[in-house]
Coordinates of all heavy atoms in Angstrom, one line a residue:
M1 N 101.9 -58.9 -89.6 CA 100.8 -58.2 -90.2 C 99.6 -58.0 -89.2 O 99.2 -58.9 -88.5 CB 100.3 -59.1 -91.4 CG 99.2 -58.4 -92.2 SD 98.9 -59.1 -93.8 CE 97.9 -60.5 -93.5
N2 N 99.1 -56.8 -89.2 CA 98.0 -56.5 -88.3 C 96.7 -56.7 -89.0 O 96.5 -56.0 -90.0 CB 98.1 -55.1 -87.7 CG 99.3 -54.9 -86.8 OD1 99.6 -55.8 -86.1 ND2 99.8 -53.7 -86.7
L3 N 95.9 -57.6 -88.4 CA 94.6 -57.8 -89.0 C 93.5 -57.0 -88.2 O 93.7 -56.8 -87.0 CB 94.2 -59.3 -89.0 CG 95.1 -60.1 -89.8 CD1 94.8 -61.6 -89.6 CD2 94.9 -59.8 -91.3
P4 N 92.5 -56.5 -88.8 CA 91.4 -55.8 -88.1 C 90.8 -56.8 -87.1 O 90.7 -58.0 -87.4 CB 90.4 -55.3 -89.1 CG 90.7 -56.1 -90.4 CD 92.1 -56.6 -90.2
P5 N 90.2 -56.2 -86.0 CA 89.5 -57.1 -85.1 C 88.4 -57.8 -85.8 O 87.7 -57.3 -86.6 CB 89.0 -56.2 -84.0 CG 89.2 -54.8 -84.5 CD 90.2 -54.9 -85.6
T6 N 88.2 -59.1 -85.4 CA 87.1 -59.9 -86.0 C 85.8 -59.8 -85.2 O 85.9 -59.9 -84.0 CB 87.5 -61.4 -86.1 OG1 88.8 -61.4 -86.7 CG2 86.6 -62.2 -86.9
I7 N 84.7 -59.6 -85.9 CA 83.4 -59.6 -85.3 C 82.9 -61.0 -85.5 O 82.8 -61.5 -86.6 CB 82.5 -58.6 -85.9 CG1 83.0 -57.2 -85.5 CG2 81.1 -58.8 -85.4 CD1 82.3 -56.1 -86.2
K8 N 82.7 -61.7 -84.4 CA 82.3 -63.1 -84.4 C 80.9 -63.3 -85.0 O 80.7 -64.3 -85.7 CB 82.4 -63.8 -83.0 CG 83.9 -63.9 -82.6 CD 84.0 -64.6 -81.2 CE 85.4 -64.6 -80.8 NZ 85.8 -63.7 -79.8
T9 N 80.0 -62.5 -84.6 CA 78.7 -62.6 -85.2 C 78.4 -61.4 -86.0 O 78.9 -60.3 -85.7 CB 77.6 -62.7 -84.1 OG1 77.7 -61.6 -83.3 CG2 77.8 -64.0 -83.3
D10 N 77.7 -61.5 -87.1 CA 77.3 -60.3 -87.9 C 75.8 -60.2 -88.0 O 75.3 -60.4 -89.1 CB 78.1 -60.4 -89.2 CG 78.2 -59.0 -89.8 OD1 77.9 -58.0 -89.0 OD2 78.6 -58.8 -90.9
D11 N 75.2 -60.0 -86.9 CA 73.7 -59.9 -86.9 C 73.3 -58.7 -87.7 O 74.0 -57.7 -87.7 CB 73.2 -59.6 -85.4 CG 73.5 -60.7 -84.5 OD1 73.6 -61.9 -85.0 OD2 73.6 -60.4 -83.3
I12 N 72.1 -58.8 -88.2 CA 71.4 -57.6 -88.7 C 70.9 -56.8 -87.5 O 70.1 -57.3 -86.7 CB 70.3 -58.0 -89.7 CG1 70.8 -58.8 -90.8 CG2 69.5 -56.7 -90.1 CD1 70.4 -58.5 -92.2
I13 N 71.4 -55.6 -87.4 CA 71.1 -54.7 -86.3 C 69.9 -53.8 -86.6 O 69.0 -53.7 -85.9 CB 72.3 -53.9 -85.8 CG1 73.4 -54.9 -85.3 CG2 71.9 -52.9 -84.8 CD1 73.1 -55.7 -84.1
C14 N 70.1 -53.2 -87.8 CA 69.0 -52.3 -88.2 C 68.1 -53.1 -89.2 O 68.5 -53.3 -90.4 CB 69.5 -51.0 -88.9 SG 68.2 -50.0 -89.5
Q15 N 67.0 -53.5 -88.7 CA 66.1 -54.3 -89.5 C 65.4 -53.5 -90.6 O 65.2 -54.1 -91.7 CB 65.0 -55.0 -88.6 CG 65.7 -56.0 -87.6 CD 64.7 -56.4 -86.6 OE1 63.5 -56.5 -86.8 NE2 65.2 -56.8 -85.4
C16 N 65.2 -52.3 -90.4 CA 64.6 -51.4 -91.5 C 65.4 -51.3 -92.7 O 64.9 -51.4 -93.8 CB 64.3 -50.0 -90.9 SG 63.1 -50.0 -89.7
H17 N 66.7 -51.2 -92.5 CA 67.6 -51.0 -93.7 C 68.6 -52.2 -93.9 O 69.5 -52.1 -94.7 CB 68.4 -49.7 -93.5 CG 67.6 -48.5 -93.6 ND1 67.1 -48.0 -94.8 CD2 67.0 -47.7 -92.7 CE1 66.3 -46.9 -94.6 NE2 66.3 -46.7 -93.3
R18 N 68.4 -53.3 -93.1 CA 69.2 -54.5 -93.2 C 70.7 -54.2 -93.1 O 71.5 -54.6 -93.9 CB 68.9 -55.2 -94.6 CG 67.5 -55.3 -94.9 CD 66.7 -56.5 -94.4 NE 67.4 -57.8 -94.6 CZ 67.2 -58.8 -93.8 NH1 66.4 -58.7 -92.7 NH2 67.8 -60.0 -94.0
V19 N 71.0 -53.5 -92.1 CA 72.5 -53.1 -91.8 C 73.0 -54.0 -90.7 O 72.4 -54.1 -89.7 CB 72.6 -51.6 -91.5 CG1 74.1 -51.2 -91.4 CG2 71.9 -50.7 -92.5
T20 N 74.2 -54.6 -91.0 CA 74.8 -55.5 -90.0 C 75.6 -54.8 -89.0 O 76.0 -53.7 -89.1 CB 75.7 -56.5 -90.8 OG1 76.7 -55.8 -91.3 CG2 74.9 -57.3 -91.8
E21 N 75.9 -55.6 -87.9 CA 76.7 -55.1 -86.8 C 78.1 -54.6 -87.3 O 78.6 -53.6 -87.0 CB 76.9 -56.2 -85.8 CG 77.8 -55.7 -84.6 CD 77.8 -56.7 -83.5 OE1 77.0 -57.7 -83.5 OE2 78.7 -56.5 -82.6
S22 N 78.7 -55.4 -88.2 CA 80.1 -55.1 -88.7 C 80.0 -53.8 -89.5 O 81.0 -53.0 -89.4 CB 80.7 -56.2 -89.5 OG 80.0 -56.4 -90.7
T23 N 79.0 -53.6 -90.3 CA 78.9 -52.3 -91.1 C 78.8 -51.1 -90.1 O 79.5 -50.1 -90.3 CB 77.7 -52.4 -92.0 OG1 77.9 -53.5 -92.9 CG2 77.5 -51.1 -92.8
I24 N 78.0 -51.3 -89.1 CA 77.8 -50.2 -88.1 C 79.1 -49.9 -87.4 O 79.6 -48.8 -87.3 CB 76.6 -50.5 -87.2 CG1 75.3 -50.5 -88.0 CG2 76.6 -49.4 -86.1 CD1 74.1 -51.1 -87.2
R25 N 79.7 -51.0 -86.8 CA 80.9 -50.8 -86.1 C 82.1 -50.3 -86.9 O 82.9 -49.4 -86.5 CB 81.3 -52.1 -85.4 CG 80.4 -52.5 -84.2 CD 81.1 -53.7 -83.5 NE 80.2 -54.2 -82.4 CZ 80.2 -53.8 -81.2 NH1 80.9 -52.8 -80.8 NH2 79.4 -54.4 -80.3
N26 N 82.1 -50.7 -88.2 CA 83.2 -50.2 -89.1 C 82.9 -48.7 -89.4 O 83.9 -47.9 -89.5 CB 83.3 -51.0 -90.4 CG 83.9 -52.3 -90.1 OD1 84.7 -52.5 -89.2 ND2 83.6 -53.3 -91.0
A27 N 81.7 -48.3 -89.6 CA 81.4 -46.9 -89.8 C 81.7 -46.1 -88.7 O 82.3 -45.0 -88.8 CB 79.9 -46.8 -90.1
I28 N 81.5 -46.5 -87.5 CA 81.8 -45.8 -86.2 C 83.3 -45.6 -86.1 O 83.8 -44.5 -85.9 CB 81.2 -46.5 -85.0 CG1 79.7 -46.4 -85.0 CG2 81.8 -45.9 -83.7 CD1 79.0 -47.3 -84.0
A29 N 84.0 -46.7 -86.4 CA 85.5 -46.7 -86.2 C 86.2 -45.9 -87.3 O 87.0 -45.0 -87.0 CB 86.0 -48.1 -86.2
T30 N 85.8 -46.1 -88.6 CA 86.5 -45.4 -89.6 C 86.1 -44.0 -89.8 O 86.9 -43.1 -90.1 CB 86.3 -46.2 -91.0 OG1 85.0 -46.2 -91.3 CG2 86.9 -47.6 -91.0
G31 N 84.8 -43.7 -89.5 CA 84.4 -42.3 -89.6 C 84.5 -41.5 -88.3 O 84.2 -40.4 -88.3
R32 N 85.0 -42.2 -87.2 CA 85.1 -41.6 -85.9 C 83.7 -40.9 -85.6 O 83.7 -39.8 -85.1 CB 86.2 -40.6 -85.9 CG 87.5 -41.2 -86.0 CD 88.7 -40.2 -85.8 NE 89.9 -40.9 -86.1 CZ 91.0 -40.3 -86.5 NH1 91.0 -39.0 -86.8 NH2 92.1 -40.9 -86.7
L33 N 82.7 -41.7 -85.8 CA 81.3 -41.2 -85.6 C 81.0 -41.2 -84.1 O 81.3 -42.2 -83.4 CB 80.3 -42.0 -86.4 CG 80.7 -42.1 -87.9 CD1 79.7 -43.0 -88.6 CD2 80.8 -40.8 -88.5
D34 N 80.4 -40.2 -83.6 CA 80.1 -40.2 -82.2 C 78.6 -39.8 -81.8 O 78.3 -39.5 -80.7 CB 81.0 -39.2 -81.4 CG 80.9 -37.8 -81.9 OD1 80.0 -37.5 -82.8 OD2 81.6 -36.9 -81.4
D35 N 77.8 -39.9 -82.9 CA 76.3 -39.8 -82.6 C 75.5 -40.6 -83.6 O 76.0 -40.9 -84.7 CB 75.9 -38.3 -82.6 CG 76.1 -37.7 -83.9 OD1 75.3 -37.9 -84.8 OD2 77.1 -36.9 -84.1
I36 N 74.3 -40.9 -83.2 CA 73.5 -41.8 -84.0 C 73.2 -41.2 -85.4 O 73.2 -41.9 -86.4 CB 72.1 -42.1 -83.3 CG1 72.4 -42.9 -82.0 CG2 71.2 -42.9 -84.2 CD1 71.3 -43.0 -81.1
G37 N 73.0 -39.9 -85.5 CA 72.7 -39.2 -86.8 C 73.8 -39.4 -87.7 O 73.6 -39.6 -88.9
S38 N 75.1 -39.3 -87.3 CA 76.2 -39.5 -88.2 C 76.3 -41.0 -88.7 O 76.7 -41.2 -89.8 CB 77.5 -39.2 -87.4 OG 77.5 -37.9 -86.9
V39 N 75.9 -41.9 -87.8 CA 75.9 -43.3 -88.2 C 74.9 -43.5 -89.3 O 75.1 -44.2 -90.3 CB 75.7 -44.2 -87.0 CG1 75.5 -45.7 -87.4 CG2 76.8 -44.1 -86.0
T40 N 73.7 -42.9 -89.1 CA 72.6 -43.0 -90.1 C 73.1 -42.5 -91.4 O 72.9 -43.1 -92.5 CB 71.4 -42.3 -89.6 OG1 71.0 -42.9 -88.3 CG2 70.2 -42.5 -90.6
E41 N 73.7 -41.3 -91.4 CA 74.3 -40.7 -92.6 C 75.3 -41.6 -93.3 O 75.3 -41.7 -94.5 CB 75.0 -39.4 -92.3 CG 74.1 -38.2 -92.5 CD 74.8 -36.9 -92.2 OE1 76.0 -36.7 -92.7 OE2 74.3 -36.1 -91.5
A42 N 76.1 -42.3 -92.5 CA 77.2 -43.1 -93.1 C 76.7 -44.4 -93.7 O 77.2 -44.8 -94.7 CB 78.2 -43.3 -92.0
C43 N 75.7 -45.0 -93.0 CA 75.4 -46.4 -93.5 C 73.9 -46.7 -93.4 O 73.5 -47.8 -93.6 CB 76.1 -47.4 -92.6 SG 75.6 -47.5 -90.9
E44 N 73.1 -45.7 -93.2 CA 71.6 -45.8 -93.2 C 71.0 -46.4 -91.9 O 69.8 -46.3 -91.6 CB 71.0 -46.6 -94.4 CG 71.2 -45.9 -95.7 CD 70.5 -46.6 -96.8 OE1 71.0 -47.5 -97.4 OE2 69.3 -46.2 -97.1
A45 N 71.8 -47.1 -91.1 CA 71.3 -47.7 -89.9 C 70.7 -46.7 -89.0 O 71.2 -45.6 -88.8 CB 72.4 -48.4 -89.1
G46 N 69.5 -47.0 -88.5 CA 68.8 -46.1 -87.6 C 67.9 -45.1 -88.3 O 67.2 -44.3 -87.6
G47 N 67.8 -45.1 -89.6 CA 67.1 -44.1 -90.4 C 65.6 -44.5 -90.6 O 64.9 -43.8 -91.3
G48 N 65.2 -45.6 -90.0 CA 63.8 -46.0 -90.2 C 63.0 -45.7 -88.9 O 62.7 -44.6 -88.5
C49 N 62.6 -46.8 -88.2 CA 61.7 -46.8 -87.1 C 62.4 -46.4 -85.8 O 61.7 -46.1 -84.8 CB 61.1 -48.1 -86.9 SG 62.2 -49.4 -86.3
H50 N 63.7 -46.3 -85.8 CA 64.5 -45.9 -84.6 C 64.7 -47.0 -83.6 O 65.3 -46.7 -82.5 CB 64.0 -44.6 -84.0 CG 64.0 -43.4 -84.9 ND1 63.8 -42.1 -84.4 CD2 64.3 -43.3 -86.2 CE1 63.9 -41.3 -85.5 NE2 64.2 -42.0 -86.5
S51 N 64.1 -48.2 -83.8 CA 64.2 -49.2 -82.8 C 65.7 -49.6 -82.5 O 66.0 -49.9 -81.4 CB 63.6 -50.5 -83.3 OG 62.2 -50.3 -83.4
C52 N 66.6 -49.5 -83.5 CA 68.0 -49.9 -83.3 C 68.8 -48.8 -82.6 O 70.0 -49.1 -82.4 CB 68.6 -50.4 -84.6 SG 68.6 -49.1 -85.8
H53 N 68.3 -47.7 -82.4 CA 69.1 -46.6 -81.8 C 69.8 -47.0 -80.5 O 70.9 -46.6 -80.2 CB 68.3 -45.4 -81.5 CG 68.0 -44.6 -82.8 ND1 67.5 -43.3 -82.8 CD2 68.1 -44.9 -84.1 CE1 67.3 -42.9 -84.1 NE2 67.7 -43.9 -84.9
I54 N 69.1 -47.8 -79.7 CA 69.7 -48.3 -78.4 C 71.0 -49.1 -78.7 O 72.0 -49.0 -78.0 CB 68.7 -49.0 -77.6 CG1 69.3 -49.2 -76.1 CG2 68.3 -50.4 -78.2 CD1 68.2 -49.7 -75.1
L55 N 71.0 -49.9 -79.8 CA 72.2 -50.7 -80.1 C 73.3 -49.8 -80.7 O 74.5 -50.0 -80.4 CB 71.8 -51.8 -81.1 CG 71.2 -53.0 -80.4 CD1 70.4 -53.9 -81.3 CD2 72.2 -53.8 -79.6
I56 N 72.9 -48.9 -81.6 CA 73.9 -48.0 -82.2 C 74.6 -47.2 -81.1 O 75.8 -47.1 -81.2 CB 73.2 -47.1 -83.3 CG1 72.7 -47.9 -84.4 CG2 74.2 -46.1 -83.8 CD1 71.8 -47.1 -85.4
Q57 N 73.8 -46.7 -80.2 CA 74.4 -45.9 -79.1 C 75.4 -46.7 -78.3 O 76.4 -46.3 -77.9 CB 73.4 -45.2 -78.2 CG 74.0 -44.2 -77.2 CD 74.7 -43.1 -77.9 OE1 74.1 -42.4 -78.7 NE2 76.0 -42.9 -77.6
L58 N 74.9 -48.0 -78.0 CA 75.8 -48.9 -77.3 C 77.1 -49.1 -78.0 O 78.2 -49.1 -77.4 CB 75.1 -50.3 -77.1 CG 76.0 -51.4 -76.4 CD1 76.3 -51.0 -75.0 CD2 75.2 -52.7 -76.5
F59 N 77.1 -49.3 -79.4 CA 78.3 -49.6 -80.2 C 79.2 -48.3 -80.1 O 80.4 -48.4 -80.1 CB 77.9 -49.9 -81.6 CG 77.2 -51.2 -81.8 CD1 76.5 -51.5 -82.9 CD2 77.2 -52.2 -80.8 CE1 75.8 -52.6 -83.1 CE2 76.5 -53.4 -80.9 CZ 75.8 -53.6 -82.1
I60 N 78.6 -47.1 -80.2 CA 79.4 -45.9 -80.1 C 80.1 -45.8 -78.7 O 81.3 -45.6 -78.7 CB 78.4 -44.6 -80.3 CG1 78.0 -44.6 -81.8 CG2 79.2 -43.4 -79.9 CD1 76.8 -43.5 -82.0
D61 N 79.3 -46.1 -77.7 CA 79.9 -46.0 -76.3 C 81.0 -47.1 -76.2 O 82.0 -46.8 -75.6 CB 78.8 -46.2 -75.3 CG 77.8 -45.1 -75.2 OD1 78.1 -44.0 -75.8 OD2 76.8 -45.2 -74.5
Q62 N 80.8 -48.3 -76.7 CA 81.8 -49.3 -76.6 C 83.0 -48.9 -77.4 O 84.2 -49.1 -76.9 CB 81.3 -50.6 -77.1 CG 80.3 -51.3 -76.2 CD 79.6 -52.5 -76.7 OE1 79.5 -52.7 -77.9 NE2 79.2 -53.4 -75.8
H63 N 82.8 -48.3 -78.5 CA 84.0 -47.9 -79.3 C 84.8 -46.8 -78.6 O 86.0 -46.8 -78.7 CB 83.5 -47.4 -80.7 CG 84.7 -46.9 -81.6 ND1 85.6 -47.8 -82.1 CD2 85.1 -45.7 -81.9 CE1 86.5 -47.1 -82.8 NE2 86.3 -45.8 -82.6
Q64 N 84.1 -45.9 -77.9 CA 84.8 -44.8 -77.2 C 85.2 -45.3 -75.8 O 85.8 -44.5 -75.1 CB 83.8 -43.7 -77.1 CG 83.5 -43.0 -78.4 CD 82.5 -41.9 -78.3 OE1 81.7 -41.8 -77.3 NE2 82.4 -41.0 -79.3
E65 N 85.0 -46.6 -75.5 CA 85.4 -47.2 -74.3 C 84.9 -46.4 -73.1 O 85.5 -46.2 -72.1 CB 86.9 -47.3 -74.2 CG 87.4 -48.3 -75.3 CD 88.9 -48.4 -75.2 OE1 89.6 -47.8 -74.4 OE2 89.4 -49.3 -76.0
K66 N 83.6 -45.9 -73.3 CA 82.9 -45.2 -72.2 C 82.4 -46.2 -71.2 O 82.0 -47.3 -71.6 CB 81.7 -44.5 -72.8 CG 82.0 -43.1 -73.3 CD 80.6 -42.5 -73.7 CE 80.7 -41.1 -74.1 NZ 79.3 -40.7 -74.6
P67 N 82.2 -45.9 -69.9 CA 81.5 -46.8 -69.0 C 80.1 -46.8 -69.5 O 79.5 -45.8 -69.8 CB 81.6 -46.1 -67.7 CG 82.3 -44.8 -67.9 CD 82.7 -44.7 -69.3
I68 N 79.5 -48.0 -69.7 CA 78.2 -48.2 -70.2 C 77.2 -48.0 -69.1 O 77.2 -48.7 -68.1 CB 78.0 -49.6 -70.8 CG1 79.1 -49.8 -71.9 CG2 76.6 -49.7 -71.4 CD1 79.0 -49.0 -73.1
S69 N 76.2 -47.0 -69.3 CA 75.1 -46.8 -68.3 C 73.9 -47.5 -68.9 O 73.2 -46.9 -69.8 CB 74.9 -45.4 -68.1 OG 73.7 -45.2 -67.4
V70 N 73.6 -48.7 -68.5 CA 72.4 -49.4 -69.0 C 71.1 -48.5 -68.7 O 70.3 -48.4 -69.6 CB 72.2 -50.8 -68.3 CG1 71.0 -51.5 -68.8 CG2 73.5 -51.6 -68.6
E71 N 71.1 -48.0 -67.5 CA 69.9 -47.2 -67.2 C 69.7 -46.0 -68.1 O 68.6 -45.7 -68.6 CB 70.0 -46.6 -65.7 CG 69.9 -47.7 -64.7 CD 71.3 -48.4 -64.4 OE1 72.3 -48.0 -65.0 OE2 71.3 -49.4 -63.8
E72 N 70.8 -45.3 -68.5 CA 70.7 -44.2 -69.4 C 70.3 -44.6 -70.8 O 69.4 -44.0 -71.4 CB 72.1 -43.5 -69.4 CG 72.0 -42.1 -69.9 CD 73.4 -41.4 -69.7 OE1 73.9 -41.3 -68.6 OE2 73.9 -41.0 -70.8
L73 N 70.9 -45.7 -71.3 CA 70.6 -46.2 -72.6 C 69.1 -46.6 -72.7 O 68.4 -46.3 -73.6 CB 71.5 -47.4 -73.0 CG 72.9 -47.0 -73.3 CD1 73.8 -48.2 -73.4 CD2 73.0 -46.2 -74.6
V74 N 68.6 -47.3 -71.7 CA 67.2 -47.7 -71.6 C 66.3 -46.5 -71.5 O 65.3 -46.4 -72.3 CB 67.0 -48.7 -70.5 CG1 65.5 -49.0 -70.2 CG2 67.7 -50.1 -70.8
H75 N 66.7 -45.6 -70.6 CA 65.8 -44.4 -70.5 C 65.7 -43.6 -71.8 O 64.7 -43.1 -72.2 CB 66.4 -43.5 -69.4 CG 65.7 -42.2 -69.2 ND1 66.1 -41.0 -69.9 CD2 64.6 -41.9 -68.5 CE1 65.3 -40.1 -69.6 NE2 64.4 -40.5 -68.7
D76 N 66.9 -43.5 -72.5 CA 66.9 -42.6 -73.7 C 66.3 -43.3 -74.9 O 65.9 -42.6 -75.8 CB 68.3 -42.2 -74.0 CG 68.9 -41.2 -73.0 OD1 68.1 -40.7 -72.1 OD2 70.1 -41.0 -73.0
H77 N 66.4 -44.6 -75.0 CA 66.1 -45.3 -76.3 C 65.0 -46.4 -76.2 O 64.5 -46.8 -77.3 CB 67.4 -45.9 -76.9 CG 68.4 -44.8 -77.1 ND1 68.3 -43.8 -78.1 CD2 69.5 -44.5 -76.5 CE1 69.3 -43.0 -78.1 NE2 70.1 -43.4 -77.1
A78 N 64.8 -47.0 -75.0 CA 63.9 -48.2 -75.0 C 62.5 -47.9 -75.5 O 61.9 -48.8 -76.1 CB 63.9 -48.8 -73.6
Q79 N 62.0 -46.7 -75.3 CA 60.6 -46.4 -75.7 C 60.5 -46.4 -77.3 O 59.4 -46.5 -77.8 CB 60.1 -45.1 -75.1 CG 60.7 -43.8 -75.7 CD 62.1 -43.5 -75.0 OE1 62.6 -44.3 -74.2 NE2 62.6 -42.4 -75.4
K80 N 61.6 -46.3 -78.0 CA 61.6 -46.3 -79.4 C 61.6 -47.7 -80.0 O 61.4 -47.9 -81.2 CB 62.8 -45.5 -80.0 CG 62.8 -44.1 -79.6 CD 64.0 -43.4 -80.3 CE 65.2 -43.3 -79.3 NZ 66.3 -42.6 -79.9
V81 N 61.8 -48.7 -79.2 CA 62.0 -50.1 -79.7 C 60.6 -50.7 -80.1 O 59.8 -50.8 -79.2 CB 62.7 -51.0 -78.7 CG1 62.8 -52.4 -79.2 CG2 64.1 -50.5 -78.4
K82 N 60.5 -50.9 -81.4 CA 59.3 -51.5 -81.8 C 59.5 -52.9 -82.5 O 58.6 -53.7 -82.7 CB 58.6 -50.6 -82.9 CG 58.1 -49.3 -82.3 CD 57.6 -48.3 -83.4 CE 57.3 -47.0 -82.8 NZ 58.4 -46.2 -82.4
K83 N 60.8 -53.1 -82.9 CA 61.1 -54.4 -83.6 C 61.4 -55.5 -82.6 O 62.1 -55.2 -81.6 CB 62.3 -54.2 -84.5 CG 62.1 -53.1 -85.6 CD 61.4 -53.6 -86.7 CE 61.3 -52.6 -87.9 NZ 60.5 -53.0 -89.0
K84 N 61.0 -56.6 -82.9 CA 61.2 -57.8 -82.0 C 62.7 -58.2 -81.9 O 63.4 -58.1 -83.0 CB 60.4 -59.0 -82.7 CG 59.7 -59.9 -81.7 CD 58.9 -60.9 -82.4 CE 58.5 -61.9 -81.4 NZ 57.8 -63.0 -82.0
G85 N 63.1 -58.5 -80.8 CA 64.5 -59.0 -80.6 C 65.5 -57.9 -80.3 O 66.7 -58.3 -80.0
I86 N 65.2 -56.7 -80.5 CA 66.2 -55.6 -80.3 C 66.7 -55.6 -78.9 O 67.9 -55.5 -78.6 CB 65.7 -54.2 -80.7 CG1 65.4 -54.2 -82.2 CG2 66.6 -53.1 -80.3 CD1 66.5 -53.8 -83.2
L87 N 65.8 -55.6 -77.9 CA 66.3 -55.5 -76.5 C 67.0 -56.7 -76.1 O 68.0 -56.7 -75.4 CB 65.1 -55.2 -75.6 CG 64.5 -53.8 -75.7 CD1 63.3 -53.6 -74.8 CD2 65.6 -52.8 -75.3
T88 N 66.6 -57.9 -76.6 CA 67.4 -59.1 -76.3 C 68.8 -59.0 -76.8 O 69.8 -59.3 -76.1 CB 66.7 -60.3 -77.0 OG1 65.3 -60.4 -76.5 CG2 67.4 -61.6 -76.7
R89 N 68.9 -58.5 -78.1 CA 70.3 -58.3 -78.6 C 71.1 -57.3 -77.8 O 72.3 -57.5 -77.6 CB 70.2 -57.8 -80.1 CG 70.1 -58.9 -81.0 CD 70.4 -58.4 -82.4 NE 69.9 -59.5 -83.2 CZ 69.0 -59.3 -84.2 NH1 68.6 -58.1 -84.6 NH2 68.6 -60.4 -84.8
F90 N 70.4 -56.2 -77.4 CA 71.1 -55.2 -76.6 C 71.7 -55.8 -75.4 O 72.9 -55.6 -75.1 CB 70.0 -54.1 -76.3 CG 70.5 -53.1 -75.2 CD1 71.5 -52.2 -75.5 CD2 70.0 -53.1 -73.9 CE1 72.0 -51.3 -74.6 CE2 70.5 -52.2 -73.0 CZ 71.5 -51.3 -73.3
F91 N 70.9 -56.6 -74.6 CA 71.4 -57.2 -73.4 C 72.5 -58.2 -73.7 O 73.5 -58.3 -72.9 CB 70.3 -57.7 -72.5 CG 69.5 -56.6 -71.9 CD1 68.2 -56.3 -72.3 CD2 70.1 -55.8 -70.8 CE1 67.5 -55.2 -71.7 CE2 69.4 -54.8 -70.3 CZ 68.1 -54.5 -70.7
K92 N 72.5 -58.9 -74.8 CA 73.6 -59.8 -75.2 C 74.9 -59.0 -75.5 O 75.9 -59.5 -75.1 CB 73.2 -60.6 -76.4 CG 72.4 -61.9 -76.1 CD 72.3 -62.7 -77.4 CE 71.2 -63.7 -77.2 NZ 70.7 -64.3 -78.5
K93 N 74.7 -57.9 -76.2 CA 75.9 -57.1 -76.6 C 76.6 -56.4 -75.4 O 77.7 -55.9 -75.5 CB 75.6 -56.1 -77.7 CG 74.9 -56.6 -78.9 CD 75.8 -57.5 -79.7 CE 75.1 -58.0 -80.9 NZ 75.8 -59.1 -81.6
L94 N 75.9 -56.3 -74.3 CA 76.5 -55.7 -73.1 C 77.6 -56.5 -72.5 O 78.5 -56.0 -71.8 CB 75.4 -55.5 -72.0 CG 74.5 -54.3 -72.2 CD1 73.4 -54.4 -71.2 CD2 75.2 -53.0 -72.1
R95 N 77.7 -57.8 -72.8 CA 78.7 -58.6 -72.2 C 80.1 -58.4 -72.7 O 80.3 -58.0 -73.7 CB 78.3 -60.1 -72.4 CG 77.1 -60.5 -71.7 CD 76.7 -61.9 -72.0 NE 75.3 -62.1 -71.6 CZ 74.5 -63.0 -72.1 NH1 74.9 -63.8 -73.1 NH2 73.3 -63.2 -71.7
Ligands
FES1 S1 65.5 -51.2 -87.0 FE1 66.9 -49.6 -87.4 S2 65.6 -47.9 -88.0 FE2 64.2 -49.6 -87.7

């Protein structure tokens, strides 16, 4: 029997809408979502202050197995981060 991959931690990623990492990753995988707007439509994550956009984009890139460009992600999204702990989480999820 094939079980879905397990997410070891299920942090709240979008603090505005209380959306967890597993909800976002599942939305990306099942909906084949490839942009932040589609993720917001699917599960509300990212639809508030936009602080979590850097993490949502990271999850999209990881799902697509793209080479992660930290510089690009920081350049495109870091200025939107207003919530505490988002950048710390971002750097933890890079591993
Ligand atoms: S933390 Fe996700 S929109 Fe504010």
Side-chain angles (χ1 to χ4, degrees):
M1 180 163 87
N2 289 333
L3 296 172
T6 307
I7 292 172
K8 291 183 181 107
T9 59
D10 202 11
D11 296 333
I12 299 223
I13 298 299
C14 181
Q15 295 169 28
C16 292
H17 292 284
R18 313 275 310 154
V19 186
T20 64
E21 180 174 349
S22 66
T23 299
I24 295 169
R25 287 192 187 272
N26 285 334
I28 292 166
T30 58
R32 295 187 183 148
L33 307 178
D34 61 2
D35 62 76
I36 295 168
S38 303
V39 173
T40 302
E41 265 183 45
C43 67
E44 294 189 274
C49 71
H50 299 187
S51 292
C52 60
H53 283 195
I54 193 167
L55 281 161
I56 295 171
Q57 188 62 56
L58 175 66
F59 297 160
I60 291 168
D61 291 349
Q62 288 175 334
H63 180 72
Q64 294 177 339
E65 298 180 356
K66 276 186 174 174
I68 305 297
S69 167
V70 177
E71 292 80 11
E72 200 173 302
L73 287 169
V74 167
H75 176 269
D76 292 349
H77 302 288
Q79 72 278 5
K80 297 185 261 178
V81 175
K82 294 172 184 75
K83 300 279 187 186
K84 221 175 168 182
I86 294 273
L87 286 175
T88 304
R89 269 196 199 126
F90 168 72
F91 286 106
K92 273 188 195 163
K93 304 291 178 192
L94 282 171
R95 293 178 195 152

